[in-house]
Amino acid sequence: MLAEIRGLNEECGIFGVWGHEDASQLAYYGLHSLQHRGQEGTGIVATDGEKLKGIKGEGLVSEIFTQEAIKELSGKAAIGHVRYATAGGGGYENVQPLLFHFQSGSMALAHNGNLVNATALKSQLEAQGSIFQTSSDTEVLAHLIRRGGFSAFKERVKNALTMIKGAYAFLILTETELMVALDPNGMRPLSLGKLGDAYVVASETCAFDVVGAEFVRDILPGELLIIDDNGFRSEMFSVASNIAMCTMEYVYFSRPDSNINGINVHTARKNLGKRLAIEAPIEADVVTGVPDSSISAAIGYAEATGIPYELGLIKNRYVGRTFIQPSQSLREQGVKMKLSAVRGVVEGKRVIMVDDSIVRGTTSKRIVTMLREAGATEVHVLISSPPIKNPCFYGIDTSTKEELIASKYSVEELRELIGADSLIFLSTEGMIDAIGRTDDGENRGHCLACFTGRYPTEIYPNADHPYEKV
């Protein structure tokens, strides 16, 4: 994916395993398969049944976890995390899993998502004497668990989960059990798998394929799953309501070989492209997709229209993520380092460029320019989602409306800004139909907040927030 240059990033991915002698090694492979969900930091916490030990750092999975580091994390259970910083910002202290030691034992937390009432809860907890060691919203849950009025740890966890609002998939590891929780709206993907006698949990099912696990089922919204040496048991800490899976998981974030609620991501993206062919039929010579997440949609468009699909854009997979860009001219050159137009494919051709979204618009403009410089006579930009006009408060790094170019300009103005011959976005209805979820409700199980401005939960940034709840 081109997350580094396109300005749309998921917050993180999580992976857990219980009951395997090489738990930390499995966690390493699982996190490696989820690396696309976060490249800024990673960590693993493992337990041997008596103590918890963790290693974490800022960097990629392969950079932080050498073979020697993995050997230090011995034990039968582990949880891991890959992170892209949104809530709480960057910094080593915010890299997860967060590990806490108490007189009565230890606890580690890994979290995918964002808590919309974290600021309010932090203020309350600090007023009651809590001292926070990080600026991450994830730490709020740890304090709520420890301050809970129940003697049983499970009840403390369930009570704490009822107090937090927003999008969350949590892994909670102790010496004796692994707890798995998903928010009542089911806004983040989370699945259970089995490998021999061991259980694994992951943000995406592609991780199961990598470690050789068999998919068992998705974690249910509002469910607390408890895994220990006796197997797993399920309890509901909240009634599932207004199911609202992040639609961008299908459109952009997840790997094409993952399945979300029974729907293959590659197939969903191909269907988005086929629906684009119905809504935006254009005469052209070649169809190309922006690597990697838009290739499936481009193939679907090509199949539906009969226009040949070609690799008109090539991604350079060996550009380091720490490439220094000290000036504007070099920043723009950075796009060309990560992406190249294939002159032999586009020269003298009318090109349809399929992309999944336009966030800030700068990269779209540069790619259109790149195709023209390579000899394309026309460049038509088709987007396999509606315009992103509203910020996300659930774990994606678009937290202000001002940074979203579609909130400021009409589609025609956007077309002129990026220099395309035409610019067409997929309709909201077309997107929902193409993905194919069958959930009941107005949005058929989708969170559409970034497109419509209607949020599935209350939003708490300030008292006069201009956004409405669905």
Side-chain angles (χ1 to χ4, degrees), residues 314-344:
I314 298 294
K315 182 179 178 182
N316 182 357
R317 303 182 185 280
Y318 302 99
V319 176
R321 61 188 176 85
T322 55
F323 174 65
I324 298 172
Q325 302 166 329
S327 68
Q328 180 62 31
S329 61
L330 286 180
R331 278 193 292 271
E332 295 188 5
Q333 188 66 25
V335 176
K336 292 185 177 180
M337 290 186 65
K338 292 174 182 282
L339 201 65
S340 301
V342 183
R343 180 175 293 274

Side-chain angles (χ1 to χ4, degrees), residues 58 70 75 80-81 85 91 137 146 182 184 189 236 251 284 318 408 427 459 467 470:
E58 295 180 276
I70 293 295
H81 190 275
D137 61 338
R146 290 302 298 173
L182 186 65
M236 302 301 293
V251 173
Y318 302 99
K408 307 174 188 176
S427 68
I459 304 298
Y467 305 104
V470 172

Side-chain angles (χ1 to χ4, degrees), residues 13 15 23-25 27-28 31 40-47 51-75 77-83 91-101 107-110 173:
F15 184 90
S24 60
Q25 186 76 54
Y28 170 85
L31 292 180
E40 292 191 356
T42 184
I44 295 174
V45 172
T47 181
K51 63 182 183 298
L52 268 62
K53 183 175 183 179
I55 294 176
K56 66 180 185 178
E58 295 180 276
L60 301 175
V61 174
S62 59
E63 296 171 340
I64 303 303
F65 294 107
T66 62
Q67 195 62 42
E68 290 72 23
I70 293 295
K71 288 180 180 178
E72 291 184 33
L73 299 173
S74 60
I79 63 173
H81 190 275
V82 290
R83 183 170 196 264
Y92 174 84
E93 71 279 3
N94 289 320
V95 178
Q96 298 183 33
L98 301 182
L99 178 56
F100 305 91
H101 298 290
M107 172 179 67
L109 294 179
L173 181 67

